[in-house]
Amino acid sequence: MPIIKVSNLKKIFKSKGGAQTFALRDVTLNIDSGEFISITGPSGSGKSTLLHILGFLDKQSGGSYLFDDKSIDEYSEEQLAHIRNKKMGFIFQSFNLLARTSVLNNVKLPLSYSGLSEKHWNEMALSAIDSVGLSHRINHKPNQLSGGEKQRVAIARALVNNPNVIFADEPTGNLDSKSGGQIMDIIAELHKKGHTIILVTHETYTAQYADRIIALKDGMVENDMKVDKPVGVSQFKK
């Protein structure tokens, strides 16, 4: 059952001089609930632009986008924000952690917009932190963590609301091969637990963790193919 349906999706950026740049051109695809999708392509191909639109972080210039069988044009900004907080989790290459805030409080941050009672926040955050193996770091600040540990905190923060869809934008881009492999193993485990994963990456081995790879070129879908057997961490150089 598709959780995401996009048809003839376009994204146009306009310069101050009126020039137009097409970031996406007529992208059409469906993503089923529970799928693990990798979006690949060279720099400037539209990968991150597509992820931002799918994650309600930006809006398309044309075409249609249905999330849970409802057009996003039918949602108010407040409703979009609510869905983004409840049903979506985000992992970014740059981690996006609050520098002066502990691991525990970084992970708790999405809960402040959730409407859930504050008495449950610690329990939920501690559970998410434990799932990425960082229970011994809950009081540390980001500058006391390695790059791999920072990304684990970012994953825990993405998980804390138990979202349907997890968006990962180059999650291993700032990591060494070993740490990148460990992060991808965690993301693969999240997929096994039923989360829909939408991963943007330029790394071939990382992309092949998915069960489907969508290749973009010049803002268009160049290829959409199934992966027979996702590779494991052994594909990363130690």
Side-chain angles (χ1 to χ4, degrees):
M1 175 82 179
I3 189 170
I4 285 172
K5 300 178 184 178
V6 297
S7 180
N8 299 317
L9 204 68
K10 299 178 183 66
K11 181 62 180 180
I12 303 169
F13 293 105
K14 297 180 180 179
S15 70
K16 290 182 179 179
Q20 295 186 342
T21 301
F22 280 80
L24 296 174
R25 301 171 182 264
D26 297 321
V27 172
T28 297
L29 57 89
N30 292 344
I31 298 174
D32 288 341
S33 181
E35 268 198 290
F36 188 162
I37 303 293
S38 284
I39 301 172
T40 68
S43 178
S45 61
K47 303 186 300 293
S48 292
T49 299
L50 179 57
L51 181 141
H52 288 169
I53 291 172
L54 297 182
F56 298 173
L57 300 174
D58 199 358
K59 285 196 171 183
Q60 74 269 28
S61 305
S64 65
Y65 173 17
L66 275 63
F67 184 86
D68 272 345
D69 270 337
K70 184 175 177 180
S71 171
I72 66 164
D73 295 331
E74 297 177 34
Y75 293 109
S76 66
E77 289 297 327
E78 184 177 346
Q79 289 171 325
L80 289 174
H82 178 75
I83 293 169
R84 188 168 55 237
N85 183 259
K86 292 291 291 181
K87 296 189 175 185
M88 298 175 176
F90 296 88
I91 307 165
F92 297 101
Q93 178 178 348
S94 56
F95 317 128
N96 290 359
L97 302 177
L98 298 179
R100 299 181 180 180
T101 303
S102 69
V103 166
L104 179 61
N105 287 329
N106 263 291
V107 173
K108 283 165 60 174
L109 185 63
L111 297 172
S112 61
Y113 306 101
S114 68
L116 296 171
S117 171
E118 194 169 347
K119 67 181 181 180
H120 300 302
W121 291 5
N122 264 22
E123 180 184 352
M124 294 172 71
L126 289 171
S127 176
I129 293 167
D130 182 62
S131 74
V132 298
L134 282 183
S135 295
H136 60 300
R137 291 280 196 259
I138 60 171
N139 295 316
H140 285 62
K141 292 186 171 60
N143 65 0
Q144 298 172 301
L145 304 176
S146 68
E149 287 173 330
K150 290 176 185 177
Q151 197 57 291
R152 290 184 187 214
V153 176
I155 291 172
R157 182 184 57 195
L159 280 178
V160 73
N161 273 333
N162 193 30
N164 300 66
V165 186
I166 295 174
F167 294 93
D169 193 354
E170 301 280 8
T172 63
N174 283 336
L175 306 178
D176 60 63
S177 297
K178 183 177 179 180
S179 297
Q182 292 169 344
I183 292 303
M184 287 310 304
D185 280 351
I186 292 172
I187 292 174
E189 279 299 312
L190 297 178
H191 173 238
K192 289 178 182 177
K193 291 177 181 177
H195 295 280
T196 305
I197 308 291
I198 300 175
L199 167 74
V200 161
T201 182
H202 67 276
E203 298 166 331
T204 302
Y205 293 134
T206 305
Q208 288 175 325
Y209 270 80
D211 46 33
R212 181 176 158 209
I213 298 175
I214 297 168
L216 298 184
K217 184 177 180 181
D218 298 329
M220 297 179 286
V221 175
E222 184 180 41
N223 204 348
D224 187 344
M225 60 186 178
K226 293 283 186 179
V227 176
D228 291 333
K229 292 181 180 179
V231 298
V233 69
S234 61
Q235 294 292 327
F236 285 79
K237 293 179 181 178
K238 300 291 188 182

